[in-house]
Each structure stands twice: as C-alpha cells, then as structure tokens.
C-alpha cells in the first residue's frame, strides 16, 4: 500500500535483454512487469564486449540505446515506467556498476572501452555518465564470481565514493540474495538501497509464480508516478528493498510502510482484557514477535499475519493464569521480524493503548 505521504512504486532496477547477454526481447521485459504489477523497470544492458560480440557476429547494427528505445515505447503503451540505464562491467575491483537516468549510452561505453585497466575504465565510464547527471549503483558486491569467500570494500571503491561516482549499492540481487555487508556500507556512507533481479532469462523460468513467488525489487517512495518522481526518490534515498519475504530499509521509510500495511482497525478495552484487530493490507506475510516494554501484559509472543488476513490480538494481565487486565493503559511492543532496518536489526513498533483513547 501507499503511505500517508508517498506513492509506493515497485521497481526492478537491474534487467537485461537480448541486446547484451539476456534471452528476452525488450518489449517482453515490459510485458512481464505489467503482468506482475511491477511499475518501474530499468534497462541495464551491458555496454561492453557483449555488445561488440553482437555487432561482430552481424546480429546487431543499432547503437547501445536501442534496447531502451524498444522497451520505452511499449512501456508508454502499458503504463510501465522504463528507465534508461546501462551496466559497466569490469573486473573486480571495482566490479560492475549500473548507471541510471542517462540520455546516451554510447559516449559512456566509448569512455570505458578506451581504458584497458579495470579501475581506469570504470572511472572513465562513470565520470562520463555523471556528465549526463547519472545515478550510479555498485552492483552485487557479494556476487560469488567476484567475492568467492568474503564480500570486501576495496580501496578502489573508496576512490569512486570520494569522487562522487557511487550513489547507491545493490544490497539484494536475484542471483545471490541479500548482502548484509552491502546493507551496512549503505548505512555507513548514506547511500541509497537498491534491489533487483539481474534477470537474463524469462521471468517465468526464474520465479515460481504458481507458488506465489514475487520478484525481488526496490520499493520507491515517490511524490509522483513518473520518471522524475522515481529519480527524485532515489536521490533522496527514499527506498526499501524486497526479497524472499524480507524488507530492508531505514526506519524512516519502513515504519510508515508498516503502519499502512498492518492497519490497526479496532481497539476495545473489556473488563478483563483488551481486543486489538489488525488487517494486513499488503501482499506479503508480516512476522511479529513480542518486544521488550510490554511486560505488564501478555499476548501471543509470535504471529505470522498472512497477506490480507484480518486477526484479533487479545491482551490480558501479566499473570498467565488469566488474571484480569488491571491497567488502563499499556504499551503494545512488537518486533517486525521481516522489516529490517540494519543487518540483524528488525523494526520495532510500539504504541500506547488506553481505555480513554480506544477506537
């Protein structure tokens, strides 16, 4: 659901098509998103040797902007926002970076290709992208091919960061899952959280839709539903990341989302208990666990609230034998186990309930 201040858009910020090393035509990427209810996609085809191979094989005569041009036209027809981007793919370090909201891929590719050295090539490409007011994302720092044993921040990344060439980190990648290291680096350096599928194959081959599986994505807290609105939200770091039933983000973005998702629809004090009715308005389960601060009352210490489920929480006195609720007000304290504000740290929700203010 939307929050009280922002539209919550779902975005896949890392997508490949047949015009780099994907297996899917650009219009299909738009149609997949439309079918799944994904509102924003970023076309991030590799701009390096993969493109050259297509040209050398005689398979492709257009420039590197073509995959976006094809997708954008279909996106306009279906109401899916398509962002122009590209992936600069060099060795590790510094690895792979997506550059988003660009106007022309070609000069970025030429700047990167002109340098044999991986670091110099990445510096040149990202610097050229910045001349187009690009938003740069360090992709999958935990990719097993780049980080077989440990996820590491190298001096090369410090250099990119200090030069203003790193704006975000992909903390969840469809191929490698969640990276707690990348999540912490984003917090420490005030970088935007990004997640995406990094999809190469048709989505129906990567996700089990029959089992209700959802694609990993970035939740974008936007002032308006447009390219401009998405861009403003990313620069303002108003994002969260979804993957495998978990949400990762700052308390500032997750708390309003939680309150909109698990709505408290009724509070009624009875003589010996308090009745609180919740309704999950989201399409993911919400995992609740009792948190410190509510020792004077007792209620279920663990509860999974299924999508669109409505349930009643009964709150009684602290004596497990069933003593009456003797207090007129108390704190209801909950950890939201699958809303994560930092590695290993769940969102903590606390609300004071009183007889005088009951709904």
């Amino acid at each position: 659901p939307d929050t009280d201040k922002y539209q919550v858009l779902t975005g896949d910020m890392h997508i490949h098509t047949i015009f780099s090393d994907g297996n899917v035509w650009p219009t299909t990427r738009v149609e997949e998103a439309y079918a799944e209810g994904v509102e924003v996609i970023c076309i991030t085809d590799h701009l390096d040797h993969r493109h050259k191979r297509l040209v050398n094989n005689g398979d492709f005569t257009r420039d590197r902007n073509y995959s976006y041009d094809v997708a954008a036209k279909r996106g306009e027809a279906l109401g899916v926002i398509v962002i122009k981007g590209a992936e600069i793919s060099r060795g590790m370090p510094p690895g792979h970076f997506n550059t988003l909201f660009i106007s022309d891929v070609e000069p970025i590719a030429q700047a990167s290709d002109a340098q044999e050295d991986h670091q110099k090539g990445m510096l040149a490409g990202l610097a050229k992208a910045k001349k187009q007011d690009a938003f740069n994302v360090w992709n999958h720092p935990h990719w097993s091919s780049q980080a077989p044993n440990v996820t590491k921040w190298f001096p090369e990344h410090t250099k990119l960061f200090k030069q203003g060439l790193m704006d975000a980190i992909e903390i969840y990648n469809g191929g490698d899952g969640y990276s707690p290291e990348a999540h912490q680096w984003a917090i420490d350096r005030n970088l935007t959280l990004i997640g995406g599928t990094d999809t190469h194959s048709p989505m129906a081959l990567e996700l089990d839709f029959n089992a209700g599986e959802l694609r990993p994505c970035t939740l974008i807290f936007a002032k308006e539903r447009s390219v401009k609105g998405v861009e403003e939200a990313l620069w303002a770091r108003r994002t969260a990341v979804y993957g495998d039933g978990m949400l990762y983000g700052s308390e500032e973005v997750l708390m309003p989302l939680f309150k909109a998702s698990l709505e408290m629809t009724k509070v009624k004090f009875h003589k010996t208990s308090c009745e609180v009715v919740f309704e999950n308005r989201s399409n993911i389960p919400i995992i609740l666990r009792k948190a410190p601060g509510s020792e004077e009352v007792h209620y279920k210490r663990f509860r999974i609230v299924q999508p669109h489920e409505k349930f009643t929480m009964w709150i009684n006195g602290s004596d497990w034998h069933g003593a009456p609720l003797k207090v007129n007000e108390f704190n209801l304290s909950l950890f939201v186990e699958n809303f994560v504000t930092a590695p290993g740290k769940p969102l903590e929700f606390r609300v004071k309930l009183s007889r005088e203010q009951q709904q």
Side-chain angles (χ1 to χ4, degrees), residues 196-209:
T197 57
D198 193 5
T199 178
H200 291 71
S201 300
M203 290 306 304
L205 298 181
E206 297 194 2
L207 297 173
D208 188 351
F209 292 118

Side-chain angles (χ1 to χ4, degrees), residues 78-298:
L78 293 181
V80 175
I81 298 170
V82 181
I83 306 297
K84 179 183 278 193
E87 184 167 12
I88 304 174
S89 311
R90 307 300 298 231
M92 186 68 173
H96 295 191
F97 275 69
N98 278 341
T99 182
L100 309 178
F101 306 106
I102 55 178
S103 56
D104 188 356
V105 181
E106 285 294 327
I108 301 169
Q110 292 163 12
S112 180
D113 286 347
Q115 303 290 334
E116 291 288 337
D117 179 78
H118 290 310
Q119 183 187 359
K120 291 180 179 179
M122 184 63 74
L123 279 167
L126 294 179
K128 183 65 72 170
K130 276 296 179 182
K131 293 184 180 296
Q132 300 179 27
D133 297 322
F135 182 87
N136 296 329
V137 185
W138 180 14
N139 293 338
H140 46 64
H142 58 309
W143 180 29
S144 55
S145 295
Q146 294 181 157
N149 299 306
V150 63
T151 304
K152 185 177 179 181
W153 179 286
F154 287 85
E156 288 82 353
H157 300 114
T158 297
K159 185 174 183 179
L160 292 171
F161 174 72
K162 287 185 175 179
Q163 291 189 17
L165 298 177
M166 185 191 301
D167 306 302
I169 301 180
E170 186 179 66
I171 70 164
Y172 193 104
N173 177 276
D176 290 86
Y178 168 64
S179 170
E181 300 92 346
H183 190 181
Q184 190 60 55
W185 293 337
I187 293 170
D188 294 342
R189 294 167 175 82
N190 205 25
L191 297 168
T192 301
L193 303 180
I194 295 293
T197 57
D198 193 5
T199 178
H200 291 71
S201 300
M203 290 306 304
L205 298 181
E206 297 194 2
L207 297 173
D208 188 351
F209 292 118
N210 291 329
E213 192 172 0
L214 302 173
R215 77 162 78 188
C217 63
T218 303
L219 299 186
I220 303 157
F221 296 77
K223 294 179 180 179
E224 63 179 52
R225 194 182 188 281
S226 65
V227 173
K228 181 180 178 182
V230 172
E231 186 173 8
E232 188 275 334
L234 263 60
W235 281 113
R237 298 180 294 281
R238 290 196 311 273
T239 66
V241 172
Y242 169 81
D244 291 328
M246 304 293 290
L247 281 166
Y248 307 94
S250 67
E251 183 174 348
E252 289 73 19
V253 299
L254 287 186
M255 185 62 80
L257 182 64
F258 170 74
K259 291 179 178 179
S261 298
L262 192 67
E263 185 177 355
M264 190 183 300
T265 60
K266 178 182 178 181
V267 176
K268 183 174 179 60
F269 277 76
H270 301 279
K271 185 176 181 180
T272 62
S273 64
C274 179
E275 176 188 4
V276 182
V277 179
F278 290 98
E279 185 170 353
N280 185 353
R281 300 192 182 279
S282 78
N283 62 338
I284 66 169
I286 296 177
I287 304 172
L288 303 176
R289 188 181 302 276
K290 188 175 183 180
S294 300
E295 288 78 12
E296 74 272 36
V297 294
H298 77 82

